[in-house]
Amino acid sequence: MEATTTAINIEKAKTSKISQVDFDNLAFGSVFTDHMLICDYKNGSWETPKIIPYGPLSLEPSAKIFHYGQSIFEGMKAYKDEHNDVFLFRPEDNHKRLNISAHRMSIPELPKEYFMDGLRTLITLDKDWIPTQEGSSLYIRPFIFASGKGFHASPAEEYKFIICLAPSGSYFSGKVKVLIEETYSRSANGGVGYAKAGGNYAGQFYPTQLAKKNGYHQVIWTDDHAHENIEEAGAMNIFVRINDVLITAPTSDRILDGITRKSIVEIAKAEGIETEVRNVTVTELVAAAKNGSLKEMFGAGTAAVVSPIATFGFRNTDYDLPEIADSYASRFKKIITDIQLNRSQDPYGWRYKL
Ligand code: PLP
Ligand code: COI
């Protein structure tokens, strides 16, 4: 464990809630550990972070988050191995992306040491909450929002950076069924799609609810212009395997630059899997599904890990994907989770010991 350089004030919870948690039946992100980290931005600088018992916040009703949605977040996980050592996966990339999102949303950037030392101190304190059950982990949610007051539609003067921890099970249970969306758009050129901004998710809820009524779990977004290219899903980047070629869309200002996505592209190259980072059109996808060359589709993300897609819907037709042994999805999932859980070598240098 590296030395912590940031001063962090710690107020410990008087009692722990851990005995109330059923670690064998964890949902995703719905129970929270004993502590949270909170850091205020005031008068042009980030103040000393503090760790306090997890609990409600007190905010001005005019806080700009409520009116103008100035908020960004990250999603990460902590893992524990059999020796009780704790690991993160590429956490510095999450910090970089947080600041890319901050820049786009006119939120002050957060110094790297606040992020890294905050994570290290908080997770070490709540280490016993990291589940070891297969498929479970400690989901980490760092976020920043505008706490400054006023109805003037301009960036707030005050912000809060918070980290909360949630022992979590899988994001999806069972096979994932997705709908290719042609009416609504998640993002547009010049917009905020590449930022992990809260509003990007709120805007997806309505179209996703419509899809859910028809039995789908998530929507696959297409480009806002012609609704032709497969872009990403609500909480995952998308991969397609046609014959033995792995394909994923290039990142752009419409797509989140997923850490799982870029890890898979690197692993695929190392595994000798032919990989193309290029646009995949819906026409190509449907043709491949019809002629049998579409072997796999899967989503990739921190929460979802690698989630095979069983069916995609397009214009009132459902296309089922074949069940294949030794799928790319299962190979990538194993390689990534083995690195995360310290079950294998880490030739890429992605595992980060706390
Ligand atoms: N795309 C969206 C919209 C997401 O919310 C996520 C989740 O973080 C991803 C992709 C995957 O990104 P990552 O692998 O960094 O978690
Ligand atoms: C993540 O994978 O960490 C995400 O942020 C997805 C989230 C919307 C659940």
Side-chain angles (χ1 to χ4, degrees):
M1 179 168 133
E2 287 167 36
T4 299
T5 52
T6 310
I8 299 177
N9 298 327
I10 302 179
E11 181 202 333
K12 284 197 184 169
K14 294 204 168 53
T15 53
S16 175
K17 301 167 295 189
I18 198 165
S19 62
Q20 298 161 23
V21 178
D22 179 358
F23 279 86
D24 291 321
N25 291 293
L26 287 169
F28 176 82
S30 54
V31 289
F32 306 96
T33 67
D34 289 327
H35 300 95
M36 62 185 187
L37 178 129
I38 180 158
C39 181
D40 283 304
Y41 180 91
K42 282 184 186 161
N43 304 315
S45 62
W46 290 101
E47 298 188 337
T48 304
K50 50 187 191 267
I51 289 177
I52 56 173
Y54 177 89
L57 302 170
S58 172
L59 292 169
E60 291 264 351
S62 76
K64 293 198 179 186
I65 171 65
F66 297 133
H67 308 276
Y68 306 122
Q70 225 191 337
S71 84
I72 55 171
F73 70 97
E74 271 303 319
M76 317 168 63
K77 283 175 172 172
Y79 314 84
K80 206 183 320 187
D81 73 3
E82 63 201 31
H83 308 293
N84 255 354
D85 286 328
V86 178
F87 301 92
L88 303 177
F89 185 70
R90 310 187 74 171
E92 284 152 344
D93 290 6
N94 292 95
H95 172 257
K96 268 192 214 138
R97 193 172 60 188
L98 182 77
N99 278 347
I100 289 171
S101 303
H103 187 78
R104 180 64 180 84
M105 301 306 287
S106 287
I107 288 174
E109 291 180 17
L110 185 81
K112 184 172 169 190
E113 63 276 13
Y114 276 46
F115 188 82
M116 299 303 293
D117 291 341
L119 284 171
R120 186 178 299 117
T121 311
L122 180 67
I123 296 167
T124 305
L125 188 63
D126 281 346
K127 184 177 171 186
D128 292 346
W129 289 78
I130 305 174
T132 48
Q133 285 77 355
E134 197 62 41
S136 296
S137 57
L138 186 72
Y139 186 75
I140 306 166
R141 176 52 64 84
F143 59 107
I144 305 179
F145 67 90
S147 50
K149 61 186 175 183
F151 292 146
H152 196 277
S154 52
E157 309 238 306
E158 296 182 2
Y159 297 85
K160 283 185 193 295
F161 166 58
I162 298 182
I163 310 177
C164 295
L165 309 173
S168 295
S170 311
Y171 194 71
F172 292 112
S173 51
K175 295 184 169 177
V176 184
K177 203 175 160 185
V178 295
L179 178 70
I180 296 182
E181 178 63 57
E182 288 192 286
T183 306
Y184 298 96
S185 299
R186 173 186 177 274
S187 58
N189 289 334
V192 300
Y194 68 94
K196 228 165 145 53
N200 279 340
Y201 296 79
Q204 300 184 76
F205 292 163
Y206 175 67
T208 306
Q209 287 307 114
L210 294 180
K212 281 190 175 161
K213 274 192 198 141
N214 292 317
Y216 300 96
H217 299 98
Q218 288 233 323
V219 160
I220 294 205
W221 300 103
T222 49
D223 62 284
D224 63 297
H225 181 62
H227 294 292
E228 228 335 79
N229 294 328
I230 302 290
E231 303 242 286
E232 66 177 328
M236 313 182 282
N237 295 109
I238 294 292
F239 286 83
V240 170
R241 171 179 170 186
I242 297 180
N243 293 316
D244 286 337
V245 183
L246 183 71
I247 314 164
T248 191
T251 51
S252 68
D253 50 1
R254 301 184 304 272
I255 296 185
L256 192 81
D257 186 2
I259 293 164
T260 320
R261 172 192 174 279
K262 66 180 180 189
S263 304
I264 289 176
V265 170
E266 230 178 292
I267 294 168
K269 285 187 182 151
E271 293 283 299
I273 294 172
E274 196 181 331
T275 306
E276 294 177 1
V277 177
R278 65 158 172 91
N279 289 323
V280 182
T281 63
V282 188
T283 312
E284 180 182 5
L285 190 73
V286 169
K290 284 185 179 160
N291 70 23
S293 58
L294 180 64
K295 303 283 187 235
E296 288 182 60
M297 271 175 87
F298 54 90
T302 300
V305 196
V306 179
S307 291
I309 292 169
T311 304
F312 76 87
F314 180 64
R315 295 191 184 163
N316 299 319
T317 304
D318 278 351
Y319 298 87
D320 291 326
L321 280 104
E323 298 244 0
I324 45 177
D326 191 28
S327 63
Y328 285 176
S330 60
R331 273 168 73 184
F332 294 133
K333 184 172 180 178
K334 181 163 185 344
I335 293 171
I336 289 179
T337 51
D338 280 353
I339 292 175
Q340 291 168 335
L341 290 156
N342 196 25
R343 288 177 180 162
S344 69
Q345 296 294 313
D346 174 19
Y348 308 96
W350 293 336
R351 191 164 51 221
Y352 182 97
K353 190 169 181 208
L354 215 60

